[in-house]
């Protein structure tokens, strides 16, 4: 049973006043809040068994190593990976994608090859491909997207030839909220021999994600958007692909044997984890995954569908408000970007902040899609497991206030 009121009790940060009003946090797309169990697990690590991993032959180091590796196994089960060896801990989704761009991309791409992505990507799933293309002579093509978040798949079909080596697409847009038809995209990409990277930064926290059912090749996501700490990301990839890839960063822990003449690489996944990893953070993410699994990801998604449906209905009633992205909550997540007449999104966010409501205003690290719609910025409200419909009512009241104060 999904009980938001009860869930809220686990999040200490929500129980405070901001500007003299009860705090409403509507920016989980940027970063989620953390339940007490995650905060305490990290605290326990530092208080009781803080030590480096994979090195010490003493009790607390062995305990730290086991907890770190156990967290990896939990994350692997969470996305239904075939093996824990397919899970690489990075700093964030951005680093996960860069790892693929440098290690896999640099080895496998040559001049004239094609990378296909979309116009609505976060810069993390766009700039690394532009840079890879600049280094290799490959070409990046962008599937057009309309205001409702629909991809021009006819264009995608036209571009599909054996020159396409990679299709890198978001699994849930952080601007339009849309969940693109990735199953269809993956099948088509595979039919010409291309690999598929899914940017799961927004999907993994908000819906069940099963890498075997999806049949994707790479999946990148961040701990901090799924109730876990900052400073930790995940790259999942098929084991045969990872085995063939050279290391991204080199140094300690990622080697098997080093001589002054050269070295051999460690086994997966450590081949890709040079240096001391984010141990407390991995342990925290493991507990976050336990928390989400206990809620049940199907229930998390259902809550989001209900909140998004209610928000779309209520926001549509605000005079002068224009929503970007689809209106069907079944094909989108809970990131809703909008403009309010001619009021600058930063001003909207500032008025809402005065009401104790946190939203994001700006380009949300997705400038090309804003450019396409002729917008310098949008205001974005987003929801997670701890948000209540009453908070959407507060948002609507705040937006009416912004409209009155800033007169459109
Ligand atoms: N989007 C937002 O406010 P990092 O920063 O590496 O943890 O995540 C990058 C990233 C990649 N893809 C998508 C779809 C994302 O939404 C994000 C992060 C935040 O929209 C912070 S810019």
């Amino acid at each position: 049973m999904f009980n938001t009121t009860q869930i809220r009790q686990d999040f200490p940060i929500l129980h405070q006043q901001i500007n003299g009003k009860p705090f409403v946090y509507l920016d989980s797309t940027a970063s989620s809040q953390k339940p007490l169990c995650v905060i305490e697990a990290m605290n326990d690590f530092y208080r009781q068994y803080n030590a480096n991993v994979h090195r010490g032959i003493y009790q607390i180091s062995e305990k730290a190593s086991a907890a770190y590796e156990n967290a990896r196994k939990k994350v692997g089960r969470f996305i239904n990976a075939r093996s824990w060896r397919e899970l690489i801990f990075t700093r964030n989704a951005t680093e996960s994608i860069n790892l693929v761009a440098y290690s896999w991309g640099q080895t496998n791409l040559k001049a004239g090859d094609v990378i296909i992505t979309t116009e609505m990507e976060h810069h993390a799933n766009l700039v690394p491909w532009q840079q890879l293309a600049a280094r290799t002579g490959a070409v990046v093509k962008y599937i057009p997207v309309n205001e409702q978040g629909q991809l021009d798949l006819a264009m995608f079909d036209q571009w599909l030839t054996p020159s396409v080596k990679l299709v890198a697409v978001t699994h849930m847009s952080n601007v339009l909220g849309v969940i693109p038809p990735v199953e269809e995209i993956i099948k088509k990409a595979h039919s010409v021999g291309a690999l598929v990277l899914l940017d799961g930064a927004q999907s993994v926290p908000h819906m069940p994600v099963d890498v075997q059912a999806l049949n994707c090749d790479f999946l990148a996501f961040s701990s901090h958007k799924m109730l876990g700490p900052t400073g930790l990301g995940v790259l999942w990839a098929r084991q045969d692909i990872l085995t063939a890839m050279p290391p991204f960063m080199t140094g300690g822990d990622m080697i098997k044997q080093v001589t002054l003449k050269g070295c051999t690489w460690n086994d997966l996944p450590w081949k890709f984890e040079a240096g001391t990893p984010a141990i407390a953070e991995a342990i925290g993410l493991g507990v976050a995954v336990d928390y989400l699994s206990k809620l049940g990801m199907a229930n998390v998604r259902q809550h989001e569908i209900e909140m998004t449906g209610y928000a779309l209905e209520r926001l549509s009633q605000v005079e002068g408000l224009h929503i970007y992205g689809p209106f069907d909550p079944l094909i989108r997540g809970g990131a809703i970007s909008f403009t309010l007449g001619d009021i600058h999104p930063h001003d909207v966010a500032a008025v809402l902040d005065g009401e104790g409501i946190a939203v994001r205003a700006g380009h949300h690290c997705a400038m090309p899609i804003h450019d396409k719609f002729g917008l310098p910025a949008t205001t974005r409200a987003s929801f997670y497991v701890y948000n209540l419909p009453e908070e959407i009512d507060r948002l609507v009241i705040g937006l009416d206030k912004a409209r009155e104060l800033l007169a459109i």
Side-chain angles (χ1 to χ4, degrees), residues 48-85:
Q48 293 171 25
Y49 60 105
N50 171 48
N52 213 325
V53 291
H54 309 144
R55 290 159 172 83
I57 312 293
Y58 54 89
Q59 212 187 341
I60 64 166
S61 172
E62 281 167 7
K63 186 171 173 186
S65 302
Y68 177 75
E69 292 303 335
N70 193 33
R72 190 195 309 277
K73 288 178 183 152
K74 288 182 192 180
V75 179
R77 285 193 293 271
F78 189 67
I79 57 165
N80 196 27
R82 282 177 202 86
S83 160
W84 55 271
R85 290 190 183 276

Side-chain angles (χ1 to χ4, degrees), residues 114 116-117 141-144 154-162 164:
V114 177
I116 298 183
T117 182
K141 294 187 174 175
Y142 304 93
I143 308 174
M155 187 72 93
F156 177 56
D157 288 344
Q158 265 181 38
W159 289 339
L160 276 180
T161 68
V164 179

Side-chain angles (χ1 to χ4, degrees), residues 29-30 92-94 122 124 170 172 174 199 201-202 222 224-225 360 364-365 380:
T29 293
N92 45 39
T94 304
H122 186 283
T170 186
M172 184 188 285
N174 65 322
D199 175 354
Q202 298 302 339
S222 283
H224 70 97
K225 294 185 197 289
R360 185 170 173 186
H364 318 306
C365 300
R380 186 187 68 192

Side-chain angles (χ1 to χ4, degrees), residues 42 67-68 71-72 75 89 223 229 232 278-287:
M42 295 175 73
Y68 177 75
R72 190 195 309 277
V75 179
F89 283 135
S223 151
L232 185 76
I279 307 164
E281 289 75 8
I283 292 167
L285 175 61
V287 174

